[in-house]
Amino acid sequence: MEAAYDGQDIVASRAEVEGLLRRELIGGLVDGERRGGSLYVGGPPGIGKTHVIGSILDQLEASSGDDVVVLRASGDDGRGDRAFGVIAELAGEIPAGAHPAEVLLDSIAGFASVRSVAVWIDDAHHADGASLRVVQRLIRMARALPLLVVVSGTIAGYLRTPAPIVDQVDRVRHLPAMDGPAARQVVVEHTGRLPGPGLATALCDGTGNPGFIIDILRCLDETGQLADGPAGTVDLANGGLQRTDELDRVVRVHFEDFDGLGRAVLAALAVCATSVEIGVLSEILFTDEVDLDAALDSVLASGFVRHMRGGRLDFALEVYREIVYDAIDPDSRRMAHQRVAHVAARRGLASVDVAHHLLRGRSADMDAAVIRHLRAAAADTEHYVGAALPAGSADADVDYPGAGVDPDGKSDDLLRRVHRLVGSGRAPAAEELICDRMRTVTEWSVAAELQLVLVDQLINRAQTHAAAALIERLADLDLPGDVDERLTLARLRLTLLSGQFPSTTELAHIAATAATAGWTSVIQMCRVLVATRLVAAGAPTAGMRELSPTAAPDVTDLTWAGSVTCALATLQRDGPRAARRLVTQIRQHNCDDRRWADPYIGMMSAVIAVVEATWDDAVAESDTAIELADDVGSGWISAAVGYRAYIAAHRGDTVSARATLDAFRHRRLPLHLARDVPGVAEVALLTAEGATDEALSLTRSLWSASRLSPGLGLFDHATELMRVALQVGDRRLAEQIGADVAAGMDAAASADSVAEPTVRLCATAAHARGLLCADPTALAEAAGLFESAGFRWQQAQALEELACVAATSGDRDSALSAADGAMAIYAVNGARVDIDRLSARLRTLGLRRGPRDVRRARDGRGDRLTATELRVAMLVREGMTNREIGARMYISPRTVQTHVSHILAKTGLRSRVEVAASSPDRWATPIGGHHVDR
């Protein structure tokens, strides 16, 4: 079996999986490799995860000495609601006033600078939500540090499986149930003897859960049910398991460990009182057979249930059925009998069986006539009339077995809790709470409010079709006015995020209706949509005027959506420096009850850093934005994902870029504001991989789609796409893109147009003209305009073209000067692909760079800190923690940690302590060797 596995689980025996775990846990941190990674080990409760992983890590500690630090903690159901309980256990003593997460992360970063670190979180299904979010950060850290994060917990089908952790780790290993020989070995280990025939039949036939087997053995021993068997074996004293209070307790504990569907499967089997086909079971539980797979795997691995002949399932022992049946609450048991009777009748089963379940499922208020009818049906087994079902037992009205209710739920308190969770960025927890309590709500207004929250969360998760469908279903109901207003607002918000803006006429109609009804929030959103349409049309000033009559709108006076549009307009009109100042103001005013907005702020900052050519800052902001979006359940991450992959592709890290884009496409998320930034990143990646024909084909598709898009399109990437077209030889496509850019410039210059000739637009038009006509004057104009407005990445691209055009025309000095300028910007951002491309083009034109200069350019990013990194380093020298630095700079502590990692990598320092003790002179080593050999 191969140890290197890049996917999820593989089918293997328990012994093979244990051997694989041993290689994965030890191999990555010893033998001189010091590589990091993350691993989830899943299995039913009691399957032996703790013993297997603990013994391997014990061996790791014993064999590595001081070279590996092992930190351990486990979830505790008793403290599951105490925030950061697991993290506090990992971090040890927490200084007064310190944040547990920051203490742990700082500690691990310090350890990892000199040693390898293994962090193990056991029973993650019992960990608190705050701790699990920190574990997700550790998993991300493990991709860059000699840090191995091991998480163990339940698999699908069991209570509180930590799904976000499972989705994020590098590898998932499912520890299988034991087979018969392994189960017999457990009996030997705990009794010193082989199991006799009766005990083997009860515990060792089929698959088994070691924890369950051990608990049953202990129970049998304590209750005197074990006796000497033939030939020195141990066997059941009375020939079979006898039901006792202790056995009831053991079985009930393991039964409660399953999640709702797992318990429902066991409950249905218990109610049916016989073996059941999987198809019948799925019908009883209102679900598809495919959806039952995980739950069936879990119950089969538990030791409760076994496969029988004919593809049927049944309890391993009848005593387990009896205990589970008694463990079901009476209301759920009654409804389960009603459901089984309904399915049995529909499938034409014996009416005596149907009558049996109807009798068991009868309501207390069923009149005597119905009771007599049911008893008569039991006697007359020839026919069954479906009308005998009690009222209210139709499919839509019967819940599946095991469903719970909360009779003590208070509606007002429920709404407060839901809104508090959403505001603090814990939307997934809010959704879980709504789904759990919705059936207990009796007030229509509260139910409508909860449905609206679900609509908002569907929009936030970028599940556009589901959100639109739910909005339309709710709109068909007779809703009170405030709910109708909220639905209209949700519909407009969805169109804004997806970039599918309504027409001007439609917006005017919506605004008029809102004005008549007094819907202030809808009127404001209509103005935001109008403003965003204007910005997309190249009229940022008109867009900002739509939001506010003042020349410089105050973000405190704008809605959240309005402030984002204002930032986009500022970037387009005034450049990245002004946009960054505005985003900083937005960050300062983003309060704690609006944490869901943090990913959008991070994405705006990342976009600004990309065009400013401060790519390490862009990486920090985009990575943090993606992490925060994952935390708050937001799916509008296309810009952050796209620019992260774009940077990786330009830096030559094609593996990372491909993984980022593939993961995004796998989730099938829509494009934010209809801008296909992931598509632009894919073009850059294909070009870096040498797949120029594929890059050209994608470029055609992207530009065609962009021309039809009502959103912001790809205008700011026009010249980059033109260069790809010219490089591959499709001049017609380059001319089409150039003509579109020129048309935009002409429209902006027209007195009749709301569009305006911003510096960026003028620079882009000059750049496009210079590319098509090989005009050095136009390219020099473009480079100068880009530089004046702060668009340094576009400046570098214009300088590259200027260098090549000047060299072609024989202007060697201008070519050398432009090449030096482009190479300096490429180098400081680590754009190795661009460095190599420019060097190759220069060689073709007879201008060669020395090997040392090319190497320095390729490695230049490691010599200089960005302005943001320099400020972070100064604050580290002052002894501030990540959280304190984040508060000072109005950025996330996670972003601070990314900056600290960049600082350590660039300076060669090993820890924050060394940063604090070092001289600032070490941080500002100038980049050298960016001239071209003459």
Side-chain angles (χ1 to χ4, degrees), residues 43-44 47 155-158 174 176-177 207-209 258-270 275-285 287-308 311-316:
I47 203 71
I155 56 174
Y158 284 87
H174 288 173
T207 59
N209 177 324
F258 290 94
D259 69 359
L261 190 53
R263 287 198 301 271
V265 167
L266 292 172
L269 287 173
S275 61
V276 181
E277 294 178 3
I278 294 176
V280 174
L281 192 62
S282 66
E283 188 175 352
I284 291 171
L285 298 177
T287 187
D288 295 328
E289 290 185 35
V290 173
D291 296 332
L292 272 182
D293 283 347
L296 293 179
D297 287 344
S298 66
V299 298
L300 285 167
S302 68
F304 274 99
V305 173
R306 293 178 186 171
H307 271 301
M308 313 300 286
R312 303 168 74 89
L313 298 177
D314 202 358
F315 280 94

Side-chain angles (χ1 to χ4, degrees), residues 380-535:
D380 180 5
T381 60
E382 295 181 1
H383 185 64
Y384 167 73
V385 180
L389 278 172
S393 63
D395 288 1
D397 297 324
V398 180
D399 209 345
Y400 61 83
V405 296
D406 180 15
D408 298 325
K410 297 294 188 290
S411 297
D412 291 342
D413 179 61
L414 176 59
L415 282 178
R416 281 195 297 271
R417 290 180 64 191
V418 165
H419 287 300
R420 188 164 60 247
L421 287 169
V422 171
S424 62
R426 298 175 61 194
E431 290 182 64
E432 185 177 347
L433 178 61
I434 291 172
C435 294
D436 183 60
R437 301 294 178 83
M438 179 69 84
R439 72 189 63 196
T440 70
V441 175
T442 57
E443 299 176 36
W444 163 243
S445 61
V446 175
E449 177 69 19
L450 294 177
Q451 290 283 4
L452 287 168
V453 173
L454 289 179
V455 168
D456 287 340
Q457 296 320 306
L458 286 172
I459 295 173
N460 193 45
R461 288 206 306 271
Q463 293 181 267
T464 54
H465 296 299
L470 182 55
I471 289 171
E472 295 310 315
R473 284 201 301 271
L474 294 176
D476 289 339
L477 303 175
D478 184 15
L479 301 170
D482 57 338
V483 177
D484 205 8
E485 176 185 3
R486 294 272 300 282
L487 284 176
T488 304
L489 184 64
R491 188 182 293 111
L492 292 176
R493 179 172 170 243
L494 181 59
T495 61
L496 173 65
L497 287 168
S498 60
Q500 306 299 320
F501 306 136
S503 66
T504 303
T505 302
E506 185 179 356
L507 274 176
H509 174 71
I510 295 172
T513 302
T516 302
W519 295 347
T520 305
S521 61
V522 173
I523 295 172
Q524 290 176 329
M525 182 58 78
C526 287
R527 295 179 63 182
V528 171
L529 281 162
V530 171
T532 309
R533 283 181 63 93
L534 288 168
V535 174

